[in-house]
């Protein structure tokens, strides 16, 4: 369950768009951005009811919010999404890209079965990387003109610690896709810095969400927690808090960063 956020004005005057914002890390992030004063556009693909409830929560806490459906792999959908959110709330100054693409089965079931080894799944890896690049590049391309008008902005990409170090057996396509996203972040941080646009990556480790719920997940969470310096795996609000910091002026001279949010596990 998400923790409550006390009302603040840290992001007052900011307009944020969370792509993939209706559930899990995306929902926690949208909620936190709103709690700190930002107006929030919540993008969803299929979870209309969840997005609507989230918007109501953000509004009840005192911020403006809208929910907009779009397929983030579609250039036309993303263009319409950004136009609609901008018309409703103003030019977007904070973009959070939280999409990972469709996973056919619970990742822990797939790890257990060993049924998705990289050597046997070239097409899956290629397709997942293409999805990740589309859902990262299309939204950034659409928000940059508005950010330039504003004199700057913050782009936060939700990555994964699996993109560095030894990837988890059975989910190589996620590791490869997020590594491609990491490369995009570095390139764009370098190119957009002159416009005052910062591009950073927040890379969670294992985060329990409804997408990976199940008995196998709970066992993995327990074991990973024991091996984590801070004693537990990250929760959605842990990730959301780092996104809020990156969206704010507290990190105004930080760009091109890759911040692992996994309780110190990835440093081992």
């Amino acid at each position: 369950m998400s923790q409550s956020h006390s009302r603040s004005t840290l992001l007052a005057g900011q307009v944020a768009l969370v792509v993939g914002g209706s559930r899990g890390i995306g929902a926690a992030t949208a909620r936190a951005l709103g709690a700190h004063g930002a107006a929030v556009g919540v993008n969803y693909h299929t979870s209309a009811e969840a997005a609507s409830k989230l918007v109501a929560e953000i509004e009840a806490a005192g911020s403006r919010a809208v929910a907009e459906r779009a397929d983030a792999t579609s250039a036309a959908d993303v263009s319409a999404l950004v136009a609609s959110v901008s018309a409703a709330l103003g030019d977007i100054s904070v973009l959070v890209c939280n999409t990972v693409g469709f996973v056919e089965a619970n990742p822990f079931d797939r790890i257990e079965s060993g049924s998705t080894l990289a050597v046997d799944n070239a097409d899956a890896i290629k397709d997942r990387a293409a999805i990740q690049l589309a859902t990262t590049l299309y939204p950034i391309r659409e928000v940059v003109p508005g950010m330039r008008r504003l004199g700057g902005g913050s782009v936060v990409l939700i990555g994964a610690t699996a993109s560095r170090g030894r990837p988890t057996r059975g989910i190589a396509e996620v590791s490869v896709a997020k590594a491609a996203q990491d490369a995009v972040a570095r390139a764009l941080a370098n190119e957009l810095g002159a416009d005052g646009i910062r591009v950073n990556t927040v890379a969670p480790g294992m985060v329990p969400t409804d997408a990976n719920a199940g008995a196998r997940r709970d066992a993995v969470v327990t074991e990973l927690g024991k091996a984590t310096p801070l004693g537990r795996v990250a929760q959605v609000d842990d990730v959301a808090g780092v996104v809020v910091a990156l969206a704010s002026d507290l990190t105004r001279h930080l760009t091109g960063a890759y911040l692992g949010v996994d309780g110190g596990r990835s440093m081992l």
Side-chain angles (χ1 to χ4, degrees):
M1 180 179 293
S2 298
Q3 66 186 35
S4 61
H5 300 277
S6 58
R7 181 72 181 169
S8 86
T9 58
L10 180 64
L11 300 177
Q14 303 294 319
V15 176
L17 169 60
V18 183
V19 180
S22 62
R23 300 166 55 199
I25 290 171
T29 296
R31 192 177 293 111
L33 291 167
H36 287 281
V40 185
V42 177
N43 161 246
Y44 68 94
H45 186 205
T46 58
S47 302
E49 183 177 357
S52 179
K53 289 181 178 179
L54 179 58
V55 164
E57 287 183 49
I58 295 169
E59 291 178 332
S63 289
R64 295 183 297 150
V66 294
E68 296 288 345
R69 185 195 177 281
D71 176 354
T73 67
S74 163
D77 271 22
V78 172
S79 179
L81 166 67
V82 170
S84 183
V85 171
S86 298
L89 303 175
D91 279 334
I92 294 163
S93 53
V94 177
L95 171 68
V96 182
C97 293
N98 177 55
T99 55
V100 68
F102 177 68
V103 177
E104 187 172 343
N106 186 304
F108 297 103
D109 294 339
R110 300 162 78 222
I111 292 168
E112 183 93 344
S113 69
S115 63
T116 55
L117 299 182
V119 70
D120 300 320
N121 287 277
D123 288 340
I125 291 171
K126 172 181 66 68
D127 291 346
R128 175 58 66 86
I131 288 169
Q132 188 69 72
L133 290 172
T135 60
T136 301
L137 288 166
Y138 289 160
I140 295 173
R141 180 177 66 184
E142 294 301 322
V143 302
V144 161
M147 288 184 175
R148 284 176 172 152
R149 286 192 294 272
L150 294 170
S154 175
V155 175
V156 183
L157 307 181
I158 304 301
T161 54
S163 69
R164 300 190 179 188
R166 187 176 70 181
T168 301
R169 177 185 175 93
I171 53 171
E173 71 269 26
V174 176
S175 301
V176 172
K178 290 300 185 181
Q181 180 180 261
D182 294 347
V184 168
R186 293 192 298 271
L188 293 181
N190 184 50
E191 293 176 1
L192 297 174
D195 296 306
I197 300 171
R198 301 181 292 115
V199 184
N200 293 291
T201 297
V202 175
M206 167 61 202
V207 178
T209 69
D210 60 350
N212 54 35
R216 175 60 183 159
R217 192 277 304 277
D218 294 342
V220 171
V221 165
T222 299
E223 290 305 309
L224 288 179
K226 293 176 181 177
T228 298
L230 289 183
R232 62 172 176 82
V233 302
Q235 302 296 314
V236 293
D237 285 318
D238 297 317
V239 182
V242 179
V243 175
V244 167
L246 289 174
S248 77
D249 283 343
L250 295 174
T251 55
R252 60 185 173 273
H253 204 60
L254 185 66
T255 195
Y258 176 99
L259 304 178
V261 184
D262 63 353
R265 181 171 172 76
S266 61
M267 73 179 178
L268 300 179

